[in-house]
PDB file of all heavy atoms in Angstrom:
ATOM      1  N   GLN A   1      63.493 119.370  75.133  1.00 96.00           N
ATOM      2  CA  GLN A   1      64.830 119.687  75.556  1.00 96.00           C
ATOM      3  C   GLN A   1      65.068 119.371  77.013  1.00 96.00           C
ATOM      4  O   GLN A   1      64.099 119.229  77.789  1.00 96.00           O
ATOM      5  CB  GLN A   1      65.077 121.204  75.351  1.00 96.00           C
ATOM      6  CG  GLN A   1      65.066 121.606  73.867  1.00 96.00           C
ATOM      7  CD  GLN A   1      66.194 120.989  73.099  1.00 96.00           C
ATOM      8  OE1 GLN A   1      67.403 121.277  73.395  1.00 96.00           O
ATOM      9  NE2 GLN A   1      65.911 120.174  72.118  1.00 96.00           N
ATOM     10  N   LYS A   2      66.342 119.304  77.421  1.00 98.00           N
ATOM     11  CA  LYS A   2      66.696 118.960  78.769  1.00 98.00           C
ATOM     12  C   LYS A   2      67.394 120.153  79.443  1.00 98.00           C
ATOM     13  O   LYS A   2      68.421 120.596  78.930  1.00 98.00           O
ATOM     14  CB  LYS A   2      67.596 117.699  78.796  1.00 98.00           C
ATOM     15  CG  LYS A   2      66.918 116.477  78.152  1.00 98.00           C
ATOM     16  CD  LYS A   2      67.751 115.227  78.172  1.00 98.00           C
ATOM     17  CE  LYS A   2      68.984 115.336  77.265  1.00 98.00           C
ATOM     18  NZ  LYS A   2      68.591 115.354  75.846  1.00 98.00           N
ATOM     19  N   TYR A   3      66.872 120.534  80.650  1.00 98.00           N
ATOM     20  CA  TYR A   3      67.410 121.721  81.308  1.00 98.00           C
ATOM     21  C   TYR A   3      67.863 121.347  82.705  1.00 98.00           C
ATOM     22  O   TYR A   3      67.124 120.657  83.457  1.00 98.00           O
ATOM     23  CB  TYR A   3      66.291 122.784  81.428  1.00 98.00           C
ATOM     24  CG  TYR A   3      65.803 123.291  80.108  1.00 98.00           C
ATOM     25  CD1 TYR A   3      64.820 122.635  79.441  1.00 98.00           C
ATOM     26  CD2 TYR A   3      66.351 124.467  79.538  1.00 98.00           C
ATOM     27  CE1 TYR A   3      64.303 123.102  78.181  1.00 98.00           C
ATOM     28  CE2 TYR A   3      65.893 124.917  78.298  1.00 98.00           C
ATOM     29  CZ  TYR A   3      64.877 124.273  77.659  1.00 98.00           C
ATOM     30  OH  TYR A   3      64.398 124.692  76.458  1.00 98.00           O
ATOM     31  N   ALA A   4      69.042 121.803  83.084  1.00 98.00           N
ATOM     32  CA  ALA A   4      69.550 121.622  84.446  1.00 98.00           C
ATOM     33  C   ALA A   4      69.494 122.934  85.190  1.00 98.00           C
ATOM     34  O   ALA A   4      70.030 123.942  84.710  1.00 98.00           O
ATOM     35  CB  ALA A   4      70.954 121.070  84.432  1.00 98.00           C
ATOM     36  N   LEU A   5      68.910 122.952  86.362  1.00 98.00           N
ATOM     37  CA  LEU A   5      68.901 124.095  87.242  1.00 98.00           C
ATOM     38  C   LEU A   5      70.072 123.968  88.212  1.00 98.00           C
ATOM     39  O   LEU A   5      70.172 122.976  88.924  1.00 98.00           O
ATOM     40  CB  LEU A   5      67.598 124.216  88.030  1.00 98.00           C
ATOM     41  CG  LEU A   5      66.320 124.197  87.223  1.00 98.00           C
ATOM     42  CD1 LEU A   5      65.117 124.229  88.185  1.00 98.00           C
ATOM     43  CD2 LEU A   5      66.244 125.418  86.322  1.00 98.00           C
ATOM     44  N   ILE A   6      70.968 124.945  88.182  1.00 97.00           N
ATOM     45  CA  ILE A   6      72.147 124.877  89.066  1.00 97.00           C
ATOM     46  C   ILE A   6      72.174 126.145  89.898  1.00 97.00           C
ATOM     47  O   ILE A   6      71.569 127.151  89.533  1.00 97.00           O
ATOM     48  CB  ILE A   6      73.458 124.678  88.302  1.00 97.00           C
ATOM     49  CG1 ILE A   6      73.670 125.829  87.290  1.00 97.00           C
ATOM     50  CG2 ILE A   6      73.457 123.339  87.583  1.00 97.00           C
ATOM     51  CD1 ILE A   6      75.009 125.771  86.578  1.00 97.00           C
ATOM     52  N   GLY A   7      72.941 126.088  91.003  1.00 94.00           N
ATOM     53  CA  GLY A   7      73.041 127.211  91.901  1.00 94.00           C
ATOM     54  C   GLY A   7      73.164 126.756  93.321  1.00 94.00           C
ATOM     55  O   GLY A   7      72.950 125.612  93.654  1.00 94.00           O
ATOM     56  N   ALA A   8      73.539 127.696  94.195  1.00 94.00           N
ATOM     57  CA  ALA A   8      73.757 127.337  95.594  1.00 94.00           C
ATOM     58  C   ALA A   8      72.447 127.045  96.326  1.00 94.00           C
ATOM     59  O   ALA A   8      71.340 127.253  95.759  1.00 94.00           O
ATOM     60  CB  ALA A   8      74.391 128.576  96.301  1.00 94.00           C
ATOM     61  N   ASN A   9      72.552 126.460  97.506  1.00 93.00           N
ATOM     62  CA  ASN A   9      71.367 126.258  98.311  1.00 93.00           C
ATOM     63  C   ASN A   9      70.637 127.545  98.507  1.00 93.00           C
ATOM     64  O   ASN A   9      71.255 128.584  98.794  1.00 93.00           O
ATOM     65  CB  ASN A   9      71.749 125.664  99.702  1.00 93.00           C
ATOM     66  CG  ASN A   9      72.247 124.239  99.623  1.00 93.00           C
ATOM     67  OD1 ASN A   9      71.875 123.519  98.632  1.00 93.00           O
ATOM     68  ND2 ASN A   9      73.063 123.803 100.536  1.00 93.00           N
ATOM     69  N   GLY A  10      69.300 127.519  98.375  1.00 91.00           N
ATOM     70  CA  GLY A  10      68.536 128.753  98.554  1.00 91.00           C
ATOM     71  C   GLY A  10      68.480 129.651  97.331  1.00 91.00           C
ATOM     72  O   GLY A  10      67.946 130.746  97.405  1.00 91.00           O
ATOM     73  N   SER A  11      68.936 129.136  96.224  1.00 94.00           N
ATOM     74  CA  SER A  11      68.963 129.963  94.997  1.00 94.00           C
ATOM     75  C   SER A  11      67.600 129.947  94.276  1.00 94.00           C
ATOM     76  O   SER A  11      67.429 130.754  93.344  1.00 94.00           O
ATOM     77  CB  SER A  11      70.065 129.500  94.053  1.00 94.00           C
ATOM     78  OG  SER A  11      69.854 128.164  93.624  1.00 94.00           O
ATOM     79  N   GLY A  12      66.699 129.054  94.666  1.00 94.00           N
ATOM     80  CA  GLY A  12      65.376 129.045  94.078  1.00 94.00           C
ATOM     81  C   GLY A  12      65.072 127.868  93.190  1.00 94.00           C
ATOM     82  O   GLY A  12      63.994 127.790  92.602  1.00 94.00           O
ATOM     83  N   LYS A  13      65.988 126.904  93.129  1.00 96.00           N
ATOM     84  CA  LYS A  13      65.801 125.748  92.238  1.00 96.00           C
ATOM     85  C   LYS A  13      64.560 124.937  92.606  1.00 96.00           C
ATOM     86  O   LYS A  13      63.719 124.676  91.772  1.00 96.00           O
ATOM     87  CB  LYS A  13      67.054 124.833  92.274  1.00 96.00           C
ATOM     88  CG  LYS A  13      68.325 125.503  91.895  1.00 96.00           C
ATOM     89  CD  LYS A  13      69.509 124.549  91.826  1.00 96.00           C
ATOM     90  CE  LYS A  13      69.773 123.817  93.094  1.00 96.00           C
ATOM     91  NZ  LYS A  13      70.193 124.711  94.228  1.00 96.00           N
ATOM     92  N   SER A  14      64.511 124.548  93.849  1.00 96.00           N
ATOM     93  CA  SER A  14      63.368 123.726  94.315  1.00 96.00           C
ATOM     94  C   SER A  14      62.039 124.489  94.273  1.00 96.00           C
ATOM     95  O   SER A  14      61.000 123.906  93.907  1.00 96.00           O
ATOM     96  CB  SER A  14      63.595 123.217  95.753  1.00 96.00           C
ATOM     97  OG  SER A  14      64.687 122.338  95.835  1.00 96.00           O
ATOM     98  N   THR A  15      62.126 125.752  94.587  1.00 96.00           N
ATOM     99  CA  THR A  15      60.895 126.584  94.554  1.00 96.00           C
ATOM    100  C   THR A  15      60.342 126.635  93.107  1.00 96.00           C
ATOM    101  O   THR A  15      59.160 126.521  92.875  1.00 96.00           O
ATOM    102  CB  THR A  15      61.193 128.006  95.027  1.00 96.00           C
ATOM    103  OG1 THR A  15      61.650 127.938  96.409  1.00 96.00           O
ATOM    104  CG2 THR A  15      59.952 128.899  94.986  1.00 96.00           C
ATOM    105  N   LEU A  16      61.246 126.848  92.160  1.00 97.00           N
ATOM    106  CA  LEU A  16      60.785 126.894  90.757  1.00 97.00           C
ATOM    107  C   LEU A  16      60.163 125.578  90.316  1.00 97.00           C
ATOM    108  O   LEU A  16      59.116 125.544  89.685  1.00 97.00           O
ATOM    109  CB  LEU A  16      61.983 127.281  89.874  1.00 97.00           C
ATOM    110  CG  LEU A  16      61.673 127.242  88.345  1.00 97.00           C
ATOM    111  CD1 LEU A  16      60.535 128.240  88.016  1.00 97.00           C
ATOM    112  CD2 LEU A  16      62.957 127.636  87.575  1.00 97.00           C
ATOM    113  N   LEU A  17      60.778 124.467  90.707  1.00 97.00           N
ATOM    114  CA  LEU A  17      60.257 123.133  90.336  1.00 97.00           C
ATOM    115  C   LEU A  17      58.867 122.910  90.993  1.00 97.00           C
ATOM    116  O   LEU A  17      57.985 122.398  90.329  1.00 97.00           O
ATOM    117  CB  LEU A  17      61.260 122.056  90.733  1.00 97.00           C
ATOM    118  CG  LEU A  17      62.507 121.904  89.866  1.00 97.00           C
ATOM    119  CD1 LEU A  17      63.472 120.918  90.489  1.00 97.00           C
ATOM    120  CD2 LEU A  17      62.143 121.485  88.438  1.00 97.00           C
ATOM    121  N   LYS A  18      58.757 123.271  92.211  1.00 97.00           N
ATOM    122  CA  LYS A  18      57.466 123.108  92.930  1.00 97.00           C
ATOM    123  C   LYS A  18      56.356 123.892  92.254  1.00 97.00           C
ATOM    124  O   LYS A  18      55.238 123.407  92.113  1.00 97.00           O
ATOM    125  CB  LYS A  18      57.601 123.511  94.384  1.00 97.00           C
ATOM    126  CG  LYS A  18      58.403 122.526  95.204  1.00 97.00           C
ATOM    127  CD  LYS A  18      58.570 123.062  96.633  1.00 97.00           C
ATOM    128  CE  LYS A  18      59.431 122.126  97.498  1.00 97.00           C
ATOM    129  NZ  LYS A  18      59.646 122.652  98.853  1.00 97.00           N
ATOM    130  N   ILE A  19      56.684 125.137  91.831  1.00 96.00           N
ATOM    131  CA  ILE A  19      55.675 125.963  91.178  1.00 96.00           C
ATOM    132  C   ILE A  19      55.331 125.404  89.831  1.00 96.00           C
ATOM    133  O   ILE A  19      54.161 125.321  89.472  1.00 96.00           O
ATOM    134  CB  ILE A  19      56.172 127.405  91.087  1.00 96.00           C
ATOM    135  CG1 ILE A  19      56.293 128.049  92.456  1.00 96.00           C
ATOM    136  CG2 ILE A  19      55.242 128.272  90.173  1.00 96.00           C
ATOM    137  CD1 ILE A  19      56.902 129.423  92.471  1.00 96.00           C
ATOM    138  N   LEU A  20      56.319 124.961  89.098  1.00 96.00           N
ATOM    139  CA  LEU A  20      56.039 124.307  87.773  1.00 96.00           C
ATOM    140  C   LEU A  20      55.218 123.054  87.942  1.00 96.00           C
ATOM    141  O   LEU A  20      54.353 122.729  87.076  1.00 96.00           O
ATOM    142  CB  LEU A  20      57.366 123.989  87.068  1.00 96.00           C
ATOM    143  CG  LEU A  20      58.195 125.175  86.567  1.00 96.00           C
ATOM    144  CD1 LEU A  20      59.562 124.719  86.041  1.00 96.00           C
ATOM    145  CD2 LEU A  20      57.468 125.950  85.443  1.00 96.00           C
ATOM    146  N   ALA A  21      55.441 122.317  89.011  1.00 95.00           N
ATOM    147  CA  ALA A  21      54.730 121.066  89.275  1.00 95.00           C
ATOM    148  C   ALA A  21      53.331 121.291  89.786  1.00 95.00           C
ATOM    149  O   ALA A  21      52.490 120.405  89.789  1.00 95.00           O
ATOM    150  CB  ALA A  21      55.481 120.164  90.219  1.00 95.00           C
ATOM    151  N   GLY A  22      53.053 122.508  90.282  1.00 93.00           N
ATOM    152  CA  GLY A  22      51.746 122.776  90.827  1.00 93.00           C
ATOM    153  C   GLY A  22      51.601 122.462  92.289  1.00 93.00           C
ATOM    154  O   GLY A  22      50.456 122.489  92.815  1.00 93.00           O
ATOM    155  N   THR A  23      52.660 122.153  92.984  1.00 94.00           N
ATOM    156  CA  THR A  23      52.564 121.826  94.434  1.00 94.00           C
ATOM    157  C   THR A  23      52.789 123.058  95.288  1.00 94.00           C
ATOM    158  O   THR A  23      52.628 122.983  96.519  1.00 94.00           O
ATOM    159  CB  THR A  23      53.591 120.727  94.805  1.00 94.00           C
ATOM    160  OG1 THR A  23      54.922 121.252  94.619  1.00 94.00           O
ATOM    161  CG2 THR A  23      53.371 119.468  93.980  1.00 94.00           C
ATOM    162  N   LEU A  24      53.148 124.192  94.655  1.00 95.00           N
ATOM    163  CA  LEU A  24      53.362 125.406  95.376  1.00 95.00           C
ATOM    164  C   LEU A  24      52.813 126.560  94.480  1.00 95.00           C
ATOM    165  O   LEU A  24      52.987 126.554  93.257  1.00 95.00           O
ATOM    166  CB  LEU A  24      54.851 125.661  95.640  1.00 95.00           C
ATOM    167  CG  LEU A  24      55.258 126.929  96.364  1.00 95.00           C
ATOM    168  CD1 LEU A  24      54.766 126.879  97.841  1.00 95.00           C
ATOM    169  CD2 LEU A  24      56.769 127.121  96.357  1.00 95.00           C
ATOM    170  N   GLN A  25      52.071 127.474  95.091  1.00 95.00           N
ATOM    171  CA  GLN A  25      51.515 128.595  94.407  1.00 95.00           C
ATOM    172  C   GLN A  25      52.451 129.792  94.374  1.00 95.00           C
ATOM    173  O   GLN A  25      53.006 130.182  95.423  1.00 95.00           O
ATOM    174  CB  GLN A  25      50.150 128.982  95.071  1.00 95.00           C
ATOM    175  CG  GLN A  25      49.400 130.053  94.337  1.00 95.00           C
ATOM    176  CD  GLN A  25      48.799 129.561  93.024  1.00 95.00           C
ATOM    177  OE1 GLN A  25      48.318 128.390  92.943  1.00 95.00           O
ATOM    178  NE2 GLN A  25      48.804 130.357  92.012  1.00 95.00           N
ATOM    179  N   ALA A  26      52.662 130.360  93.202  1.00 95.00           N
ATOM    180  CA  ALA A  26      53.474 131.592  93.108  1.00 95.00           C
ATOM    181  C   ALA A  26      52.660 132.769  93.664  1.00 95.00           C
ATOM    182  O   ALA A  26      51.443 132.788  93.649  1.00 95.00           O
ATOM    183  CB  ALA A  26      53.855 131.875  91.674  1.00 95.00           C
TER     184      ALA A  26
END
């Protein structure tokens, strides 16, 4: 499936992607 993360700047989109990618630790 294809998912789009939307929301204002600072809403957590990039943080979620980084954690999913393994480049950032939760």
Side-chain angles (χ1 to χ4, degrees):
Q1 295 294 298
K2 301 181 291 293
Y3 298 86
L5 305 176
I6 59 175
N9 289 335
S11 61
K13 303 186 301 296
S14 295
T15 299
L16 177 56
L17 285 172
K18 289 176 182 178
I19 292 174
L20 290 173
T23 64
L24 181 67
Q25 185 71 38

